[in-house]
Amino acid sequence: MKNTSRLLDNLRDKGERITDVRKAIIEILSAAPRPLSVQDLLSALKKKQLAVNKTTVYRQLEQLLFHNIVREIRFQDRSARYEVSLGDDHHHHLVCTKCHKTEDISFEEDLERQEKVIMHKKKFKVLQHSLEFFGLCASCQKK
Amino acid sequence: MKNTSRLLDNLRDKGERITDVRKAIIEILSAAPRPLSVQDLLSALKKKQLAVNKTTVYRQLEQLLFHNIVREIRFQDRSARYEVSLGDDHHHHLVCTKCHKTEDISFEEDLERQEKVIMHKKKFKVLQHSLEFFGLCASCQKK
DNA sequence: CTACATGCAAAAAATTTGCACCACC
DNA sequence: GGTGGTGCAAATTTTTTGCATGTAG
């Protein structure tokens, strides 16, 4: 809840309008236990009694990406997924390929060190990275 | 060249037929400096005077994936990319978001250690991971 | 000969675009 | 009231599927 209004303030400060749709999308993404696809978002919006067109969702996400309020992640399947990005909470994902349960993890020893090495050795300026682990969660291993 | 025939032997051993198309796809992927999309493959095949249908390419890739001969990677854009997987050469990618130049990098030790930690702490069995760095290559930084 | 490989057409799924209308500030 | 947000329909792009035909082993 707190995060949601913080993000909305953030947007307002940047001169963007606050509409019902935008607010709902941010709320849904903030509450989600895993990154959501556009389809996921559409279903969640429907549950909120907000019939939103998919085009609008795509456009909202585009803007939220631009403002670094959401982050785009691609798992192994076709569609992109989105999660709110709360500045300092950078993390990666454990994705169960069987039940699709998704968990966040963060490295003690961040990839930041690696990025510095890359910068130094390869002269490549890393702007972002994406790291996903795919496998079987504890309960799926038993099945 | 050597790799290509090794991979073909591998397939033959697994009881798969060796067709012109399959051979060409493996050759192209082996020679590619970066993971190729289906479109890339289709163009490359055309250059080889082999007019192949996209459906065939998708089906070939599906099979090569099944036999662990190619690996599927998803960058930030919509389409999937494929590269040959030579068993022990596991690596990650530096992708320039401007010129799309792609370079391989490896630092296996770290992630393997991480996978062990994950297994231990989270009881999650990691089967594969995907790590991509996006940013600007040396020459694009100057522009 | 026969099972697998291929081509073609069409469907399905994911994303983008153009244009008209609506509502936040 | 004007700019930016939204809906709708249609186009584009990527991937999948069904069926008829071809070919490697």
Side-chain angles (χ1 to χ4, degrees), chain B:
Chain B
M1 314 295 108
K2 209 169 173 184
N3 283 335
T4 305
S5 53
R6 181 150 69 87
L7 293 173
L8 289 174
D9 288 345
N10 188 336
L11 274 178
R12 221 185 316 262
D13 292 350
K14 284 171 176 160
E16 301 290 356
R17 293 183 187 169
I18 308 305
T19 63
D20 288 354
V21 174
R22 173 160 301 159
K23 203 158 64 177
I25 289 178
I26 291 181
E27 274 167 15
I28 291 166
L29 286 177
S30 295
R34 61 192 173 85
L36 302 183
S37 66
V38 168
Q39 283 309 318
D40 292 336
L41 268 168
L42 284 169
S43 314
L45 286 163
K46 211 179 213 171
K47 262 186 207 149
K48 282 205 172 203
Q49 323 291 340
L50 253 182
V52 181
N53 191 277
K54 62 181 184 243
T55 304
T56 303
V57 173
Y58 278 106
R59 290 201 270 232
Q60 284 295 338
L61 290 170
E62 185 183 20
Q63 203 174 99
L64 295 174
L65 278 171
F66 177 75
H67 288 303
N68 280 311
I69 287 177
V70 310
R71 184 181 296 150
E72 187 181 87
I73 302 121
R74 289 179 182 265
F75 291 165
Q76 297 296 72
D77 53 356
R78 202 158 42 177
S79 56
R81 298 231 143 56
Y82 303 86
E83 67 179 5
V84 292
S85 148
L86 297 165
D88 54 340
D89 77 331
H90 189 71
H91 59 262
H92 307 103
H93 300 93
L94 296 183
V95 184
C96 181
T97 48
K98 208 163 172 183
C99 71
H100 302 104
K101 197 178 69 177
T102 302
E103 200 178 339
D104 295 347
I105 51 160
S106 55
F107 46 93
E108 191 56 32
E109 332 74 45
D110 284 15
L111 285 179
E112 267 181 23
R113 213 190 59 240
Q114 285 297 339
E115 290 186 2
K116 277 182 193 134
V117 175
I118 288 167
M119 175 76 112
H120 188 251
K121 282 198 185 162
K122 309 274 188 173
K123 311 293 178 214
F124 184 97
K125 184 173 179 51
V126 177
L127 297 175
Q128 60 172 309
H129 63 240
S130 141
L131 171 57
E132 268 66 53
F133 293 94
F134 301 99
L136 297 171
C137 69
S139 72
C140 283
Q141 283 172 60
K142 292 171 199 155
K143 286 167 196 168

Side-chain angles (χ1 to χ4, degrees), chain A:
Chain A
M1 316 295 107
K2 212 172 172 183
N3 283 333
T4 304
S5 54
R6 182 152 66 88
L7 293 173
L8 289 174
D9 288 345
N10 187 337
L11 274 178
R12 223 184 315 261
D13 292 348
K14 285 172 175 161
E16 302 288 357
R17 293 182 187 169
I18 307 305
T19 62
D20 288 355
V21 173
R22 172 159 303 159
K23 203 157 64 181
I25 289 178
I26 291 181
E27 274 166 15
I28 291 166
L29 286 177
S30 295
R34 61 191 172 85
L36 302 183
S37 67
V38 169
Q39 282 309 318
D40 292 337
L41 268 168
L42 284 169
S43 314
L45 284 163
K46 210 178 212 170
K47 260 184 211 150
K48 283 205 170 202
Q49 323 290 343
L50 252 182
V52 181
N53 190 277
K54 63 182 181 232
T55 305
T56 302
V57 173
Y58 278 107
R59 289 200 268 233
Q60 283 297 336
L61 289 170
E62 184 182 23
Q63 203 175 98
L64 295 174
L65 278 171
F66 176 76
H67 288 303
N68 280 310
I69 287 176
V70 309
R71 185 181 295 149
E72 186 182 88
I73 301 121
R74 289 180 182 264
F75 291 165
Q76 297 295 70
D77 55 354
R78 202 155 45 175
S79 57
R81 299 230 141 58
Y82 304 85
E83 68 179 7
V84 293
S85 148
L86 297 165
D88 54 340
D89 77 332
H90 189 70
H91 60 262
H92 306 104
H93 301 92
L94 295 183
V95 184
C96 181
T97 48
K98 208 163 173 182
C99 71
H100 301 105
K101 199 178 67 175
T102 302
E103 199 178 340
D104 295 347
I105 51 159
S106 50
F107 284 4
E108 305 98 72
E109 195 175 345
D110 218 271
L111 286 173
E112 263 176 35
R113 209 190 68 239
Q114 284 296 343
E115 292 188 359
K116 275 179 193 142
V117 175
I118 289 168
M119 174 74 113
H120 189 250
K121 281 198 187 162
K122 309 273 188 178
K123 311 296 179 210
F124 184 99
K125 185 175 179 53
V126 177
L127 298 174
Q128 60 173 309
H129 63 241
S130 141
L131 171 57
E132 269 66 52
F133 293 93
F134 300 100
L136 298 171
C137 69
S139 72
C140 283
Q141 283 172 61
K142 290 173 202 153
K143 287 169 196 164

